[in-house]
Amino acid sequence: MSIQVYVNGEFFPKEEAKISVFDHGFLYGDGVFEGIRAYNGRVFKLKEHIDRLYNGARGIMLDIPLTKEEMTEVVLETIRRNQLKDAYIRLVVSRGTGDLGLDPRKCQKPTIICIADKIVLYPEKLYTEGMEIITAATRRNRPEGVNPQMKSLNYLNNILAKIEANLAGVPEAMLLNTEDYVAECTGDNIFIVRDGVLITPPPYVGILIGITRNTVMELAEKLGIKVEEKVFTRYEVFTADECFLSGTAAEAIPVVKVDGRPIGDGKPGPITKKIIDAFKELIKTEGTEIYK
Ligand code: PXG
């Protein structure tokens, strides 16, 4: 049976779920989105995702015509309609249908869609053996422009870096900002470990403040691991003891090689493993119940 997709208040089978070719989300990338996961009947960090969506909408002056409570119910109902317990949820709010000009005032009402489907995971081998990444030549866009803190529909910068990863035959690419500091990867935040301290770039470097990133930082503190938000360069990644990425899709995943240089001893490190285990424990209990 086909999955049911929410479009502006109604559910349609995937094949019939459609939006206008005049939608400014399509014409201009004018909108915001979220990627959310559900584990075993619970949506992980749903409030955090909804808050980030509304903050991004505020950033682009888009008034979402639903309350946060209503939007939360849209997510839950979309999962229920598809009878899923484990899911990847894509929530998108665009400026809506307008004319061919870029003036958002021509768009009468935002388009809201929600898709809940089974998740395609990274191969298990990458978690046990770690993955290889490269540094992209494409730089993270500057916060003075489209701020990376907004999960906007404008992902071309990330896609250009992803193409570089594809060409290099690796799953992810690390982006530097225009000042040569490490920012994040195309769809993941980055952490390094040095002398037992967990380090991740601060938001002003130009990153999405990942919900998994924040969770990792909280878990580390609970485990008694010191956490610092500090700028670092590519060289400091090469010379780190450990490196891993965090994101909704990947959770926490070890990085063992960057631009051909093995990180530490070239195997997933002990702190990385502790974080991965703690994350696996957390998802067993945390989250908003879908079926009550
Ligand atoms: N940085 C960027 C640029 C992202 O897009 C993250 C970090 C991690 O954030 P969360 O909140 O998920 O911990 C993201 C996440 C995918 C996919 O299919 C991932 C993301 C966006 C679109 C697709 O891997 N973003």
Side-chain angles (χ1 to χ4, degrees), residues 183-239:
E184 60 179 338
C185 291
T186 69
D188 298 284
N189 290 109
I190 188 162
F191 287 84
I192 56 171
V193 176
R194 183 183 295 281
D195 299 327
V197 180
L198 190 56
I199 308 164
T200 198
Y204 66 79
V205 167
I207 61 164
L208 182 77
I209 305 179
I211 287 157
T212 319
R213 169 191 184 270
N214 292 350
T215 306
V216 164
M217 290 166 78
E218 283 166 23
L219 289 172
E221 267 156 26
K222 277 189 196 140
L223 290 166
I225 300 161
K226 194 170 172 221
V227 184
E228 284 178 0
E229 283 183 284
K230 218 170 71 174
V231 296
F232 55 87
T233 60
R234 187 170 161 249
Y235 179 74
E236 287 166 279
V237 179
F238 296 159
T239 57

Side-chain angles (χ1 to χ4, degrees), residues 17-89:
K18 295 189 174 113
I19 60 153
S20 166
V21 293
F22 291 93
D23 195 292
H24 280 207
F26 181 72
L27 289 178
Y28 295 113
D30 186 354
V32 287
F33 77 104
E34 277 300 323
I36 311 169
R37 268 180 89 170
Y39 296 97
N40 196 26
R42 277 181 308 274
V43 185
F44 189 68
K45 304 276 177 190
L46 182 53
K47 182 183 183 299
E48 286 80 355
H49 283 284
I50 299 285
D51 285 345
R52 187 169 68 185
L53 182 79
Y54 278 73
N55 283 341
R58 200 182 273 256
I60 63 167
M61 292 187 82
L62 191 165
D63 275 326
I64 300 179
L66 298 184
T67 63
K68 285 186 181 180
E69 292 71 31
E70 287 166 340
M71 192 64 89
T72 301
E73 198 47 43
V74 165
V75 171
L76 294 172
E77 186 57 24
T78 306
I79 306 169
R80 285 183 204 124
R81 292 262 176 153
N82 292 286
Q83 295 164 28
L84 293 163
K85 286 176 89 182
D86 295 276
Y88 185 74
I89 302 117

Side-chain angles (χ1 to χ4, degrees), residues 1-5 12-18:
M1 203 188 80
S2 182
I3 62 159
Q4 294 287 312
V5 178
F12 300 92
K14 172 174 157 179
E15 296 74 21
E16 286 156 40
K18 295 189 174 113

